[in-house]
Amino acid sequence: MKKSYLTVVVHILVKEEYREDVKAELLKLVGPTRGEEGNISYDLHQDNSNPNLFLFHEKWVSQELLQKHSQSKHIAEYKAATEEKLVDVTLFKMTELTN
């Protein structure tokens, strides 16, 4: 039986004047997160029609390891660096369906 993983999709809408600053901060998250225990994939995307919209598509082994990620040093640094620079952040946690 195939294991079902936790999929996370995060939409991040950035204030236009901070787009490049926030983009740089988002890119800093990719390497450290991919190296974390329990991370299967962690991909950052930028919308083609709205460059102020970013999306993370993540896959995790468990909710517990995702929680550990959310308390990591690099996430804390990202939050501090982007405070007041974001319009909206929407997070979806989903369970992968398998046959």
Side-chain angles (χ1 to χ4, degrees):
M1 180 174 168
K2 184 178 175 188
K3 180 160 176 46
S4 189
Y5 296 108
L6 177 64
T7 299
V8 177
V9 177
V10 185
H11 293 163
I12 303 162
L13 186 58
V14 178
K15 293 177 182 176
E16 186 170 359
E17 64 270 25
Y18 299 116
R19 177 178 47 225
E20 293 306 314
D21 292 342
V22 174
K23 182 178 180 178
E25 293 299 325
L26 292 169
L27 286 166
K28 287 181 190 177
L29 296 174
V30 175
T33 301
R34 286 181 177 166
E36 287 182 46
E37 178 187 6
N39 179 259
I40 298 166
S41 64
Y42 192 79
D43 301 312
L44 176 63
H45 305 269
Q46 187 173 17
D47 190 81
N48 291 337
S49 60
N50 179 359
N52 299 325
L53 179 61
F54 296 88
L55 180 141
F56 272 114
H57 185 270
E58 312 172 24
K59 195 173 280 192
W60 294 88
V61 169
S62 69
Q63 173 63 40
E64 293 76 24
L65 292 171
L66 172 63
Q67 182 66 27
K68 186 176 176 184
H69 160 70
S70 69
Q71 297 170 349
S72 67
K73 179 183 176 192
H74 50 274
I75 291 295
E77 290 171 348
Y78 159 78
K79 288 179 179 179
T82 61
E83 190 174 3
E84 305 296 323
K85 297 179 181 179
L86 308 179
V87 175
D88 186 54
V89 176
T90 306
L91 183 136
F92 302 91
K93 292 181 185 176
M94 304 173 200
T95 300
E96 180 180 6
L97 300 178
T98 60
N99 288 337

